[in-house]
Structure formats: structure tokens, C-alpha cells
Amino acid sequence: MSTRRDFLRVAGGMTAGTTLLGTMGTALAADAGAPVAEGGGGAVTEHKLPELPYAYDALEPHIDAKTMELHHDKHHAAYVKGLNEAEAALAKARAANDFAAIQTLSKKAAFHGAGHALHSLFWKVMAPAGKGGGGEPAGDLADRIKRDFGSFAAFKGQFSAAAAAVEGNGWALLTYRAEDDRLLVLQAENHQKLSPWDAVPVLALDVWEHAYYLKYQNKRVDYVEAWWNLVDWSQVQKNVAGLQRLRV
Ligand code: MN
């Protein structure tokens, strides 16, 4: 028997599902083109590369201009292209009722889609040092960090250790989990592995070698230390606030 409570549960689940894709940057939704129907396989979105919210050299000296240019214009662009190709191929397979390639295509869509989402978030949560970037969080975010990690210093230590310890290419993430309304530090290998699904990234640090190698070579720890000067805590606070609607 259907009850209002059941309905709310279902509605809440649907909200969470749709929001996971959209929350990591409203930029993602804003930059995506209109869905295109194609060959009876369902709608296909044309994802677009979001523009950087600052100049290539705006994050100097902590992240150099050449790294930013290559990272955004080449690496992120390749994830957008890969995602569009994977989703178009999936739509084509659906239209043909041909699911033999679904494993390969799903992997491709997950890798490139997560890469697109995390890079879009990464650009947004940074700002030039001293002009929106760096310092410490205030208000609600500061309170949450103290509650969930003990102190800002303890959080920073845990996040930096997560970044340093990512095996191979990946990310350190601060995530929000609606179930218990708390913040968690997680790692991602590549862009999509190790995800518990219900924790949504609100702050992301790219530790793929392409993110730092030109300036820092093998010294990932130095890059991580410098990166703290660029974190835009007001944006992180906005990301957390935007996820409050996932609470049911
Ligand atoms: Mn990257």
C-alpha cells in the first residue's frame, strides 16, 4: 500500500540521483547543450568545456600558467570529448537494442564523465591567492569542519595525507554525505574509483601528474602544500549549502 511516507522516500531518492550528477558544479548543467534526440536511442546531451573563471596565470606562483592551459584546454577538453563519444555510442546501442558493448561503453562514460565533473569542480573551488583563495573557512563550514574532523588543522592534515597517498593518478576529495549530514575526506583513483556513491564532492584536488609535474616534478607534497593557498572556501560553503536539499 502506498503511503505518503513511501512517496517521500521515492521522491527523495530521485532527487538524490539526479542531483549527484548536477551538484558538483552548477556549471556542468549550465554548460551542457540542449538534449539531442538521436535515432530512437533517447536524448543525448552535448557536454561542453566550461571556461576557466580566471586567467591561466591567475593562480601563479602556486600553479603555473602553462600547466593551467594544458590542463584545461587539453586534458579537461579530452574528458568532455570522451564523455560525448561514450554517451552517443550508448544511445546508438540502445536504439539498435545492441548491448554487447555496454560494459566497455559504461566504463568509458564513467571515466570521462567523472573526469569532466571533477575538473569542473576543481576550477570552481580555486581562486587567486589572497583574492578569494586561501585562508580558512568561516561560518557554517568552519563549524562543520570542527565538528566532523576535530579542528581545521586536523582536517587539513587528513586531506593532505589523502592527496599524498593516492596510488597513481587520482584525487583527494572533501565530500558531503546527506545520510548523516556530515563531511568526509575521500580519495578517488583515476576519476571514478573508490566512490561510495552517496558522498558528493564539494572540494576536489587533482593529484594526477598532469596537474603539477611541469612545476613540481615528483614533489606532489609540495604541490599539495601550495594548493591550500588557492582554496576558495566561500565556494565550498556554497557547495555544501546546495546539498542540504538531499537531506530527507
Ligand atoms: Mn586533471
Side-chain angles (χ1 to χ4, degrees):
M1 196 175 98
S2 185
T3 64
R4 181 163 183 274
R5 193 184 168 89
D6 288 334
F7 169 74
L8 288 174
R9 270 207 197 110
V10 171
M14 287 172 69
T15 305
T18 25
T19 312
L20 282 177
L21 286 175
T23 304
M24 286 199 279
T26 34
L28 281 182
D31 288 331
V36 179
E38 191 181 282
V44 178
T45 295
E46 188 195 348
H47 302 277
K48 291 181 181 163
L49 180 66
E51 286 195 15
L52 280 179
Y54 32 68
Y56 295 129
D57 63 356
L59 306 182
E60 297 259 15
H62 307 294
I63 301 180
D64 60 286
K66 192 70 191 166
T67 294
M68 288 300 293
E69 182 181 350
L70 289 168
H71 200 172
H72 176 268
D73 294 7
K74 304 296 181 192
H75 292 275
H76 188 172
Y79 297 127
V80 174
K81 184 169 179 281
L83 175 61
N84 284 329
E85 287 171 357
E87 290 193 340
L90 279 166
K92 210 171 157 188
R94 278 198 301 272
N97 221 11
D98 169 18
F99 301 110
I102 196 148
Q103 186 177 17
T104 307
L105 292 175
S106 294
K107 275 187 184 174
K108 186 175 177 181
F111 174 76
H112 290 281
H116 173 40
L118 288 178
H119 282 93
S120 298
L121 175 64
F122 182 52
W123 313 132
K124 273 183 79 174
V125 295
M126 293 190 290
K131 296 174 191 164
E136 293 191 13
D140 175 65
L141 182 59
D143 294 344
R144 284 175 176 278
I145 285 173
K146 192 172 178 198
R147 186 195 66 188
D148 295 342
F149 299 97
S151 67
F152 179 68
F155 154 73
K156 200 173 160 183
Q158 189 182 335
F159 190 98
S160 291
V166 169
E167 195 172 270
N169 289 318
W171 299 77
L173 304 167
L174 177 65
T175 64
Y176 173 79
R177 185 169 66 190
E179 180 192 7
D180 51 359
D181 188 38
R182 68 160 292 172
L183 300 169
L184 299 168
V185 168
L186 297 174
Q187 291 180 323
E189 290 177 0
N190 292 349
H191 302 306
Q192 79 286 19
K193 296 175 188 171
L194 309 181
S195 170
W197 298 109
D198 59 347
V200 184
V202 293
L203 174 67
L205 169 56
D206 191 340
V207 293
W208 283 59
E209 285 186 346
H210 67 226
Y212 63 88
Y213 209 83
L214 285 183
K215 181 178 172 74
Y216 295 93
Q217 289 83 51
N218 60 317
K219 298 185 281 288
R220 187 195 284 182
V221 169
D222 292 355
Y223 158 68
V224 171
E225 196 52 40
W227 174 80
W228 288 108
N229 294 297
L230 303 172
V231 177
D232 181 349
W233 293 108
S234 66
Q235 182 60 51
V236 180
Q237 170 69 72
K238 280 182 205 159
N239 294 344
V240 174
L243 292 169
Q244 295 304 302
R245 67 186 185 280
L246 292 179
R247 295 279 291 156
V248 290

